[in-house]
Amino acid sequence: MRVLQAKTLITPPTAPPTFCGAFGTALAEVLSRHVEVTEIDDERDFYRTFTKEIRHARPSL
C-alpha cells in the first residue's frame, strides 16, 4: 500500500511542484484532469466557502 498526503497531490497552480515519486506523479496528473484548485481554506474557513460555492453552483461544483 502506498500512502501520499493530499497536499502533495492537489496543490494551487502557483505552488512549486513537489516530488512524490513515479506513482505520486502519475496520480497527481490524473487528479489534475478532474480537480481545479482555486483556493485553499483551513478548517475555520472551509464550511463558509463550501456553503457559498453550493449556493452559487449551477451545473457542478
Side-chain angles (χ1 to χ4, degrees):
M1 174 169 50
R2 297 179 178 146
V3 177
L4 297 169
Q5 294 183 345
K7 68 181 182 180
T8 63
L9 298 173
I10 302 173
T11 59
T14 57
T18 57
F19 178 75
C20 45
F23 175 77
T25 301
L27 184 55
E29 183 181 323
V30 169
L31 285 173
S32 72
R33 291 184 231 146
H34 303 283
V35 175
E36 178 184 351
V37 177
T38 57
E39 79 185 84
I40 304 291
D41 288 325
D42 62 14
E43 65 277 3
R44 294 176 299 248
D45 297 326
F46 172 78
Y47 288 104
R48 179 173 36 90
T49 301
F50 185 63
T51 302
K52 180 184 85 174
E53 293 296 326
I54 288 176
R55 285 185 179 141
H56 292 95
R58 295 296 174 250
S60 68
L61 290 176

